[in-house]
Amino acid sequence: MGLSLTEDIKSVSEFKKQIRRVFTQLHRTGRPVVITVNGRPDIVLLDAAVFERKLSALNLHALLAEGEADVAAGRIRPARAALRVPPPCRKDIALTSHGRRSAT
């Protein structure tokens, strides 16, 4: 997602005059539009579908960073152990109404 300095930066007065055109541009290009106030960037507009994709990527990045931190801290275990299926439940053990085990 790039940014065109000539197309994607608008003053607030220009934006007010051309709202429909700016929205069409957002949907057509998928690029953000920066709205300036007194010559300074103030607001960034982004197509909703593009925003959702960016948010998903950001969330994935956060999860990967957490996993990398676990690896760096040594909080790991072999894949075979992590994927091991627990043994089947014994038939002689039942759960009580409070979720506690009791022998039958």
Side-chain angles (χ1 to χ4, degrees):
M1 172 176 66
L3 183 75
S4 169
L5 296 177
T6 58
E7 294 179 20
D8 300 338
I9 299 176
K10 313 262 186 220
S11 68
V12 71
S13 57
E14 185 181 1
F15 173 66
K16 287 178 183 179
K17 293 175 191 172
Q18 301 176 356
I19 289 177
R20 180 61 37 209
R21 188 179 300 169
V22 171
F23 283 6
T24 300
Q25 176 185 334
L26 281 165
H27 297 305
R28 180 177 44 82
T29 67
R31 296 188 314 249
V33 172
V34 178
I35 306 299
T36 63
V37 176
N38 297 326
R40 296 177 156 300
D42 191 57
I43 302 270
V44 176
L45 300 174
L46 192 61
D47 177 76
V50 173
F51 175 76
E52 285 182 342
R53 286 194 305 271
K54 294 293 180 188
L55 190 58
S56 292
L58 186 62
N59 288 336
L60 178 59
H61 177 71
L63 291 172
L64 291 172
E66 186 178 324
E68 288 174 347
D70 284 343
V71 170
R75 293 186 297 267
I76 59 172
R77 61 182 171 161
R80 290 195 190 280
L83 298 174
R84 192 172 298 137
V85 177
C89 291
R90 292 182 14 204
K91 291 183 180 178
D92 62 334
I93 296 180
L95 294 178
T96 67
S97 61
H98 299 291
R100 295 187 187 117
R101 291 182 181 191
S102 66
T104 55

